[in-house]
Amino acid sequence: MDTKIVALANQKGGVGKTTTALNLAAVLAAKNKKVLLVDSDPQGNASSGVGVFKTNEDKNIYSCYIGAKEAVDCILPTSQKNLFILPASIDLVGVEVELIAQDNREKRLKTILRTVRDRFHYILIDCPPSLGLLTINSLTAADSVLIPMQCEYFALEGLAQLVQTIRKVKNSFNRGLFIEGLLLTMYDGRNRLTHSVANEIQKHFGEQVYRTVIPRNVRLSESPSHGQTIIEYDAGCTGAKAYKALGNEFLNRTGVGMRP
């Protein structure tokens, strides 16, 4: 199977990264693509967002990192057809310390996913809101990076740091890595600052910015607490329509990105 691995990364928290990972995965699965969502964040929000509130025994990505389990033994089905999860647990917070002295520590996730890669059309990795070893592993394992960005004053400042990290990973560990695109999230068309920041991002990155924007939407905020993606929770709401549009745009332009 021709598989694409996409890391969703932004070191700033609260930018809609996990929401995008969850709902883009759900939209792709609804289009008959086999999708694996990899929860690489110790907070485990992507896991609980698809109904995995507690992992079964040690069936989680931490067990894969420490070599206790293979990925194939830890991948769980979700309530949505074609959508699977490699869940996180709070133990994942210790991985950076445990791997620090090990050889090829940046390539651990790439090795973990290699054994299951050909079972899926898409593998989406939800990165933690930091630029530590877990994010480095995700970028090393990925073919490309999708960057969700909130339209706020400091967005561009944080983006410069992230692009620099992507460039370093590309040079050191993953020559083929590229930026899939930038996605504007929590968009409020009534807010003057939103328009100002969006225009600035467009000016800097042009075609790399997705035409689809994700609006602020209460239903999007509610759905993870019910263990459901927005497609299951309220497929007719504004947020669901935006993610369906994103899914279409993502499929249409996948592979056309920016070399950092």
Side-chain angles (χ1 to χ4, degrees):
M1 192 178 288
D2 188 17
T3 308
K4 177 156 192 158
I5 302 180
V6 182
L8 287 92
N10 193 323
Q11 75 273 27
K12 288 177 66 63
V15 297
K17 178 179 54 59
T18 299
T19 301
T20 298
L22 281 168
N23 293 307
L24 178 56
V27 168
L28 294 174
K31 291 178 176 291
N32 286 322
K33 306 294 185 185
K34 284 197 76 175
V35 183
L36 175 63
L37 181 58
V38 177
D39 192 348
S40 194
D41 186 346
Q43 294 177 86
N45 291 335
S47 303
S48 59
V50 292
V52 180
F53 290 95
K54 215 172 184 182
T55 56
N56 301 338
E57 304 155 5
D58 52 357
K59 291 184 178 179
N60 53 58
I61 196 171
Y62 172 75
S63 296
C64 299
Y65 264 110
I66 63 171
K69 292 272 188 186
E70 295 291 323
V72 68
D73 299 318
C74 299
I75 292 171
L76 303 174
T78 70
S79 57
Q80 185 174 338
K81 184 185 175 186
N82 295 323
L83 179 57
F84 299 80
I85 179 86
L86 178 52
S89 74
I90 193 62
D91 294 332
L92 192 57
V93 79
V95 159
E96 305 213 1
V97 175
E98 293 176 46
L99 293 185
I100 202 71
Q102 296 194 18
D103 293 336
N104 291 320
R105 60 183 178 270
E106 299 88 357
K107 299 180 179 178
R108 224 29 203 278
L109 183 58
K110 184 172 187 173
T111 303
I112 290 165
L113 295 180
R114 188 177 292 145
T115 57
V116 296
R117 177 173 182 144
D118 62 359
R119 298 173 182 227
F120 301 94
H121 294 102
Y122 291 96
I123 298 177
L124 304 186
I125 307 172
D126 184 33
C127 299
S130 71
L131 295 177
L133 192 54
L134 286 170
T135 296
I136 301 298
N137 263 270
S138 299
L139 296 177
T140 302
D143 299 310
S144 64
V145 193
L146 177 58
I147 306 172
M149 294 182 63
Q150 189 175 353
C151 293
E152 59 163 29
Y153 184 71
F154 292 112
L156 282 169
E157 185 180 284
L159 180 60
Q161 190 180 359
L162 177 58
V163 170
Q164 188 177 24
T165 299
I166 293 168
R167 192 175 291 129
K168 286 178 180 175
V169 170
K170 178 185 174 72
N171 291 337
S172 300
F173 309 115
N174 187 358
R175 298 298 302 174
L177 185 65
F178 67 95
I179 295 175
E180 188 80 36
L182 287 79
L183 174 69
L184 301 180
T185 62
M186 302 180 184
Y187 193 90
D188 184 352
R190 300 165 300 177
N191 188 317
R192 188 178 297 174
L193 178 62
T194 295
H195 288 287
S196 174
V197 173
N199 289 338
E200 195 70 18
I201 293 170
Q202 287 278 3
K203 191 166 73 177
H204 277 76
F205 294 96
E207 288 299 308
Q208 303 313 318
V209 183
Y210 276 83
R211 293 187 303 277
T212 304
V213 296
I214 307 301
R216 288 190 179 276
N217 181 244
V218 174
R219 304 298 274 173
L220 275 178
S221 305
E222 290 173 351
S223 62
S225 64
H226 295 269
Q228 294 181 319
T229 67
I230 197 62
I231 301 301
E232 295 173 294
Y233 185 65
D234 187 351
C237 73
T238 307
K241 289 174 182 174
Y243 275 110
K244 287 174 187 174
L246 174 65
N248 289 332
E249 187 176 357
F250 175 84
L251 289 173
N252 286 337
R253 61 183 276 172
T254 194
V256 181
M258 177 177 70
R259 306 289 161 179

